[in-house]
Amino acid sequence: MADSTPEPSSSLSITSSSVVSNGSSAPAGTSLEIVSLSRLSCNLERLLIDQELDCSDADIVPADGAPVGVHRCILAARSPFFRELFSRNPRPEGRPRYVMSELVPQGKVGREAFMAFLSYLYTGKLRPAPVEVSTCVDHMCAHDACRPAINFVVELMYASSVFQIPELVSLFQRRLYNFVDKALVEDVMPILMVAFDSKRDQLLAHCIQRVTRSDMNDTYLEKELPHEVAEEIKLSRKKFKPEDYENVDPVFEKRVRRIHRALDSDDVELVKLLLSESEMTLDDAYALHYAAAYCDSKVVSEVLDLGLANVNLKDGRGYTPLHMAALRMLPAVIISLLSKGASVTDTTDDGRNAASICRRQTRLKDFLEKTEKCQEANKDRICIEILEREIRRKPHAVPESISSPLLADGLHMKLLYLENRVAFARLFFPLEAKVAMEIANADNTTEFAGQSTSRSSRNLREVDLNETPAMRDKRLQSRVDALTRTVEYGRRFFPNCSEVLDNFMEDDLPDLFFLQKGTPDEQKIKRARFCELKDVVLKAFNKDKAESKRSGLSSSSSSSSSIKGDMRQQKAARKEICKV
């Protein structure tokens, strides 16, 4: 039976030191053979990790990294899968290149997991899991069953199963089996899926038993698991907890499913119609929970705008909609809920708040990597910083209003100011600006500040003969409102980014309109000021990085300007500005 494949311990634990230290009574020939094998193992490992010895003859592209050079002869000798793969075209023209998502279509195998797997194929030794990809950023976690620890072994399990290395399959199956009873039930899901995909019946049965005993609702099971597995769990529950199904109202359940299907279709108007016809409420169907877990941020915002849902309602597991959004790790959904009054301090029945939920799901690598490179922050870090910043905020703090002398000059000048401010935010802080604009429904801002200025000015002067003054004012006011919300969300959730933008807009924005005024020397100075924008933002990031080092992992400093990654975009922006 596949599940009971024994683990050949010698192939996993051979080292020269262990034999020498314990083998004083072993025959001399045996010790010499082990030492020779160990040296051979080290030499083969150099082929994998030493760039100067790169004589690989093929590339494999993992799910989240650059191509990895491999030696087809070694992989073919160790793995029946690769032997069959390479035999299809033994003498290809050019260097062969294989994509991991095509080799392992049912699961993800990232770079670190693939390198650990290759290390075993090359050396016969299984290295310890890298800390940066197998631990989370929750300081209270023992890292023995958090999501990063589980995901790393799941990736190795997929690789070992698909590439047909039975001793590793047996080893990782036992590791995952031990995770099941210690992990949170939502973290059991990836284990269940790899057991199902790899046909590990014993591991699958253990996962099903754990989920059956849990309080995971049937809707979650139907959305996350294959149909046959979800049905098996529900059938087991009816036998295990028959009282939970005795009083179920089939009409009520049918109405709830209709509401959920309407949300899946992004049809909030249909949701309103179903509510009026059935005399149900959004809270009865846990509709906001469902939207936060499975719908895009626009649908979540529309459901919130109905004003019919309790944003802090707890479901049967003690989860609020914010907890569901934290499990999903989407900044726009989290901000939408917070902006409507979601409590960031509410905890689940087992004592976790939204920030700790995010931290237990975030790899150390993902939390730190972008800050070190001074590039755009990833969504995991943004989610954690938003939630922790909200915890530190005053309970009744209100976002600051926009302060600028330009706002006293009327609707047109307000719009011109806001267009340029949001355009600069998109240039310097692209991810934060995107999130703020998405939840404010202000997604039509032009790409660069220079373009924004010229186009806004031109559009404001153009006359539409079919548009009355009242219609024009209404259109402009709608745009001003959307951009105002964008700026307010930025100030509340991304204060460091906003401070940089505030200083720039107050000090330099007037020059944007008067570059052609003054003497030639004055005009030259004004244009040079815009070319210093990169230095201004870099200084802000150096300050943020210093604060981050002093405050540790819980730093709330901004980490998301794509200074290096978007150099071409910045140069284009400067050219546009200098043309004004």
Side-chain angles (χ1 to χ4, degrees), residues 411 415 459-460 462 464 467 469-480:
L411 187 62
L415 182 56
N459 291 339
L460 290 176
E462 290 177 351
D464 184 351
E467 187 178 44
M471 292 169 59
R472 180 200 61 200
D473 291 344
K474 183 178 180 180
R475 172 175 58 82
L476 295 179
Q477 186 62 56
S478 175
R479 181 65 176 158
V480 167

Side-chain angles (χ1 to χ4, degrees), residues 438-456:
E438 185 176 347
I439 62 175
N441 294 322
D443 55 355
N444 295 319
T445 305
T446 49
E447 288 295 332
F448 303 113
Q451 294 174 346
S452 177
T453 303
S454 59
R455 292 180 184 177
S456 295

Side-chain angles (χ1 to χ4, degrees), residues 5-74:
T5 303
E7 173 199 345
S9 58
S10 60
S11 65
L12 296 173
S13 58
I14 287 179
T15 60
S16 59
S17 59
S18 62
V19 174
V20 173
S21 61
N22 299 322
S24 56
S25 60
T30 302
S31 298
L32 180 60
E33 180 181 354
I34 296 300
V35 170
S36 298
L37 289 173
S38 180
R39 288 178 178 173
L40 175 61
S41 173
C42 293
N43 290 336
L44 289 174
E45 186 176 32
R46 289 185 62 196
L47 293 175
L48 189 63
I49 63 177
D50 193 339
Q51 297 295 329
E52 296 181 358
L53 294 178
D54 183 15
C55 53
S56 59
D57 58 0
D59 290 323
I60 296 180
V61 185
D64 56 355
V68 176
V70 298
H71 305 78
R72 288 183 294 161
C73 58
I74 295 178

Side-chain angles (χ1 to χ4, degrees), residues 15 31 54 66 125 213 239 262 461 483 492 517-518 556:
T15 60
S31 298
D54 183 15
K125 303 173 186 176
R213 297 195 310 265
K239 298 177 180 179
R461 295 189 186 100
L483 293 175
R492 175 174 175 180
K517 300 293 184 179
S556 62

Side-chain angles (χ1 to χ4, degrees), residues 316-570:
R317 303 181 62 210
Y319 280 55
T320 67
L322 185 61
H323 295 146
M324 303 302 293
L327 287 172
R328 193 177 175 193
M329 305 284 278
L330 280 183
V333 175
I334 290 175
I335 290 179
S336 292
L337 291 166
L338 291 174
S339 65
K340 293 295 185 178
S343 173
V344 76
T345 58
D346 280 359
T347 60
T348 60
D349 290 346
D350 56 3
R352 293 175 296 139
N353 61 25
S356 62
I357 289 174
C358 286
R359 279 188 166 272
R360 276 187 64 95
Q361 294 187 105
T362 302
R363 301 187 304 177
L364 185 63
K365 174 186 177 181
D366 296 333
F367 190 85
L368 297 176
E369 183 177 30
K370 296 301 183 181
T371 302
E372 294 171 354
K373 294 182 179 180
C374 196
Q375 295 178 350
E376 181 176 296
N378 61 55
K379 292 182 179 180
D380 294 353
R381 182 184 179 99
I382 288 289
C383 289
I384 293 172
E385 291 185 340
I386 288 170
L387 291 166
E388 293 189 342
R389 187 177 294 124
E390 283 297 290
I391 291 175
R392 292 191 293 268
R393 287 181 75 243
K394 294 180 180 179
H396 303 293
V398 178
E400 300 177 20
S401 59
I402 300 174
S403 59
S404 170
L406 294 175
L407 298 188
D409 294 337
L411 187 62
H412 288 67
M413 292 305 293
K414 286 183 182 180
L415 182 56
L416 193 58
Y417 172 85
L418 292 168
E419 289 279 6
N420 281 282
R421 193 185 194 286
V422 173
F424 277 116
R426 293 184 68 181
L427 176 63
F428 297 125
F429 308 101
L431 182 56
E432 286 88 340
K434 180 180 178 182
V435 170
M437 292 175 67
E438 185 176 347
I439 62 175
N441 294 322
D443 55 355
N444 295 319
T445 305
T446 49
E447 288 295 332
F448 303 113
Q451 294 174 346
S452 177
T453 303
S454 59
R455 292 180 184 177
S456 295
S457 301
R458 183 172 64 253
N459 291 339
L460 290 176
R461 295 189 186 100
E462 290 177 351
V463 177
D464 184 351
L465 297 179
N466 296 319
E467 187 178 44
T468 66
M471 292 169 59
R472 180 200 61 200
D473 291 344
K474 183 178 180 180
R475 172 175 58 82
L476 295 179
Q477 186 62 56
S478 175
R479 181 65 176 158
V480 167
D481 292 343
L483 293 175
T484 300
R485 288 195 300 271
T486 300
V487 175
E488 290 177 346
Y489 286 136
R491 284 209 172 96
R492 175 174 175 180
F493 298 108
F494 310 111
N496 293 314
C497 307
S498 296
E499 183 180 357
V500 173
L501 291 170
D502 285 341
N503 292 336
F504 169 72
M505 298 298 288
E506 291 292 336
D507 293 341
D508 297 292
L509 186 62
D511 285 343
L512 185 63
F513 307 114
F514 302 109
L515 286 176
Q516 306 303 325
K517 300 293 184 179
T519 65
D521 289 340
E522 290 175 342
Q523 295 178 29
K524 184 177 180 180
I525 292 173
K526 292 175 183 178
R527 290 189 174 91
R529 177 69 184 101
F530 288 102
C531 296
E532 296 173 0
L533 294 180
K534 187 183 74 170
D535 294 334
V536 173
V537 180
L538 281 175
K539 288 179 181 179
F541 272 98
N542 290 333
K543 178 181 177 181
D544 284 342
K545 288 174 65 178
E547 293 177 357
S548 178
K549 291 179 180 178
R550 287 196 296 270
S551 59
L553 289 179
S554 62
S555 169
S556 62
S557 60
S558 174
S559 59
S560 63
S561 173
S562 53
I563 300 300
K564 297 179 181 178
D566 293 329
M567 287 296 292
R568 293 180 180 178
Q569 188 179 17
Q570 292 186 32

